[in-house]
Amino acid sequence: MRLVMIGSGYVGLVTGACLADFGHTVTCVDKDAARIDRLRRGEMPIYEPGLEGIAAQNVRDGRLSFTTDLTGPVKEADAVFIAVGTPSRRGDGHADLSYVYHATREIARALQGNTVVVTKSTVPVGTGDEVERIIRDERHNRDFSVASNPEFLREGSAIQDFKHPDRIVIGVEDEHARAVMAEIYRPLFLNKSPILFTARRSAELIKYASNAFLAMKVTFINEIADLCEKVDANVQDVALGLGADNRIGSKFLHAGPGFGGSCFPKDTMALVKTAQDYDSPLRLIETTIAVNDSRKRAMARRIIQAAGGNVRGKKIAIFGLTFKPNTDDMREAPSISVIQALQDAGARVSAYDPKGMEQARALWTDVAFHASPYEAAENASAICILTEWEQFRALDLQRLEKLVAQPVLVDLRNIYSEEDVTRFGFVYSGIGSRSGAPMHIADLAAARERLVEAV
Ligand code: UGA
């Protein structure tokens, strides 16, 4: 099949490269000429494990190409995917659909054959109807179809998710679109990946409902973690017991500093706005957003307490800045609120992240970025692990203990246990266990002060 991907960002690139790998001929389009130049040179504008290799192979085999002009490729295409951004609209939190509609108008002007226009971008329910209306206005007597095909890829494991999906959701309103979409995904169909055909509006809503549910699940375990600290239970054990129930499932029960990223924050907000517009409020999701927002600054208060209660003029080392590992994406990362709150309290922040430093430098001029966690930790009054990168799981704690001003480790991802860390002389504060309880941290801080005074 001849396919066009409009938008060579995260979703467009991964989907385009993987569909080319299935044997389709894919043209990725982007308005950003510099980005297209980089892609033609084989450079990926984002960090995603495995993407560069797949893209290079398919470019070599002649199935994947990049261009700034959609006219030619769209004329010939069996299907055109819209994979442009749908950020939060400034001011009101609705999804900003201006890029989607702009791309639709350009596609409409170029369409020739009986092409299927597919929304891959995350778009509010009913957007497919508007896309159809825009194209019909431009080309009244032509046949075309509009389908919805939401993506469920996770950053950091997007290639794996694409090739082994839990499900593929396709919303169609006619037989032609159904047949074309089935052909596009035939390789997965043969792999027995479940393909779910629905009406277009249902497919659009499945995407938002999925992200909102996952965001709610993470927020649920985060609140349970807070309770664990008060009642001397351990959230990791609670999550194990909870997740062992097949009806609940064990994934997305890892307590942490609150969800972030390019999707959950904007999608939960957009869904809440849609629901309000239809006079059918989603109060669980409204609460999820509010609980998650306040959690991030609460994490900063926890670090401050663990560091002794007053961090004015003191250095705090942050390990991990991106919203999760295996990505360089800083969008809505918890580190943004946490660092702001630490700086508001007068702390000096030093940081290290394996992949996110380039994007992070654009956000802060007053954070000291370092080439390794050990450099970042020098003279720090506390170290905080904010992102669970693999390389932080095996830190040389003995070396770190000698470098820091105070051996305090605040582990907001629970990648260590108290026993792992205290034997190297560190005071440990994790999430959802006695080690993270406010009283425990206060006791430790007081003990440390007494120790410092005695010395
Ligand atoms: C999410 C969804 O998981 C994908 O299915 C979806 O396609 C994507 O959004 C999207 O809409 O494009 P992603 O944002 O890449 O994917 O990241 P997740 O792995 O879902 O993590 C989201 C946030 O939740 C991160 O901040 C992560 O640290 C947090 N999280 C996740 C937890 O705190 N605990 C968990 O147990 C799981």
Side-chain angles (χ1 to χ4, degrees):
M1 296 235 131
R2 284 153 307 171
L3 310 177
V4 178
M5 198 60 61
I6 313 284
S8 296
Y10 189 82
V11 173
L13 268 183
V14 172
T15 312
C18 289
L19 287 174
D21 212 42
F22 284 173
H24 302 301
T25 305
V26 182
T27 311
C28 289
V29 182
D30 204 288
K31 289 213 147 326
D32 182 343
R35 173 171 285 235
I36 292 296
D37 278 347
R38 279 185 73 181
L39 285 164
R40 283 181 174 156
R41 287 197 303 271
E43 292 169 26
M44 295 296 112
I46 50 159
Y47 173 72
E48 178 63 35
L51 177 61
E52 196 168 330
I54 290 198
Q57 183 63 48
N58 284 282
V59 167
R60 270 198 300 278
D61 294 349
R63 287 190 298 267
L64 182 64
S65 59
F66 304 99
T67 180
T68 50
D69 185 15
L70 59 76
T71 317
V74 166
K75 266 187 197 154
E76 317 260 286
D78 298 297
V80 179
F81 288 77
I82 301 175
V84 296
T86 51
S88 271
R89 193 161 65 192
R90 222 173 262 268
D92 68 3
H94 276 280
D96 178 353
L97 295 174
S98 54
Y99 303 108
V100 171
Y101 293 147
H102 183 79
T104 305
R105 280 188 286 273
E106 289 198 23
I107 294 165
R109 285 193 284 273
L111 277 186
Q112 295 261 310
N114 187 1
T115 305
V116 183
V117 177
V118 189
T119 51
K120 188 52 117 169
S121 307
T122 299
V123 291
V125 58
T127 304
D129 303 1
E130 185 62 12
V131 166
E132 187 172 324
R133 195 190 57 73
I134 292 171
I135 301 175
R136 200 168 300 292
D137 278 357
E138 187 78 30
R139 319 210 61 91
H140 349 263
N141 42 16
R142 287 213 180 277
D143 282 336
F144 66 92
S145 308
V146 176
S148 162
N149 174 213
E151 59 90 12
F152 301 101
L153 310 175
R154 285 164 305 165
E155 292 189 17
S157 47
I159 307 283
Q160 164 76 11
D161 286 355
F162 192 95
K163 299 207 158 172
H164 304 279
D166 287 346
R167 81 301 206 187
I168 298 145
V169 172
I170 300 174
V172 288
E173 297 294 323
D174 61 82
E175 265 314 307
H176 174 68
R178 186 189 172 103
V180 169
M181 295 305 289
E183 183 56 25
I184 291 172
Y185 283 105
R186 198 162 50 87
L188 289 180
F189 206 57
L190 297 174
N191 276 350
K192 305 241 180 310
S193 296
I195 303 197
L196 180 65
F197 282 100
T198 67
R200 206 165 53 204
R201 284 180 166 242
S202 303
E204 289 168 338
L205 196 51
I206 286 170
K207 167 70 193 199
Y208 278 100
S210 302
N211 272 4
F213 188 87
L214 291 172
M216 190 171 68
K217 197 171 176 189
V218 169
T219 307
F220 174 80
I221 201 67
N222 284 341
E223 284 205 312
I224 293 289
D226 291 346
L227 180 60
C228 284
E229 291 174 8
K230 299 277 165 58
V231 300
D232 196 9
N234 186 311
V235 72
Q236 285 166 293
D237 292 339
V238 174
L240 267 179
L242 185 65
D245 185 327
N246 273 333
R247 293 168 301 175
I248 297 173
S250 59
K251 293 184 182 152
F252 280 71
L253 286 180
H254 195 82
F259 64 78
S262 62
C263 304
F264 284 5
K266 85 171 167 65
D267 292 350
T268 45
M269 183 61 84
L271 181 60
V272 158
K273 294 291 170 184
T274 301
Q276 285 167 357
D277 283 354
Y278 284 89
D279 202 16
S280 182
L282 292 171
R283 298 208 178 81
L284 288 174
I285 310 306
E286 288 172 11
T287 305
T288 296
I289 295 170
V291 170
N292 192 62
D293 281 349
S294 57
R295 182 167 188 82
K296 296 175 188 170
R297 279 185 86 90
M299 292 298 115
R301 290 197 293 279
R302 172 186 296 249
I303 301 166
I304 292 168
Q305 236 189 342
N310 180 359
V311 290
R312 190 153 300 281
K314 292 186 182 165
K315 181 170 166 184
I316 305 292
I318 302 291
F319 289 4
L321 295 166
T322 51
F323 80 98
K324 63 181 223 175
N326 296 326
T327 177
D328 58 354
D329 200 337
M330 285 294 302
R331 283 176 287 177
E332 302 285 335
S335 63
I336 298 174
S337 313
V338 170
I339 288 179
Q340 183 62 60
L342 289 172
Q343 290 178 329
D344 290 348
R348 292 178 294 120
V349 174
S350 64
Y352 168 76
D353 187 280
K355 293 283 175 203
M357 238 118 75
E358 196 182 316
Q359 287 198 27
R361 275 181 218 278
L363 292 174
W364 294 287
T365 48
D366 46 3
V367 168
F369 296 103
H370 293 276
S372 79
Y374 302 98
E375 274 184 29
E378 264 175 48
N379 286 323
S381 294
I383 295 171
C384 171
I385 297 174
L386 250 175
T387 317
E388 67 277 34
W389 285 95
E390 276 305 320
Q391 62 169 263
F392 298 152
R393 292 179 191 270
L395 290 167
D396 183 345
L397 293 171
Q398 206 165 12
R399 179 174 167 201
L400 275 176
E401 198 269 335
K402 292 197 179 70
L403 292 171
V404 292
Q406 275 186 162
V408 174
L409 182 67
V410 182
D411 177 7
L412 298 183
R413 299 289 184 170
N414 283 343
I415 60 177
Y416 287 94
S417 69
E418 190 160 16
E419 302 79 70
D420 289 342
V421 164
T422 44
R423 64 197 171 93
F424 291 99
F426 270 92
V427 169
Y428 179 77
S429 166
I431 293 277
S433 64
R434 198 180 65 91
S435 76
M439 276 321 294
H440 183 69
I441 297 177
D443 288 350
L444 290 168
R448 204 170 29 245
E449 290 296 316
R450 282 197 298 277
L451 193 71
V452 171
E453 274 166 28
V455 173

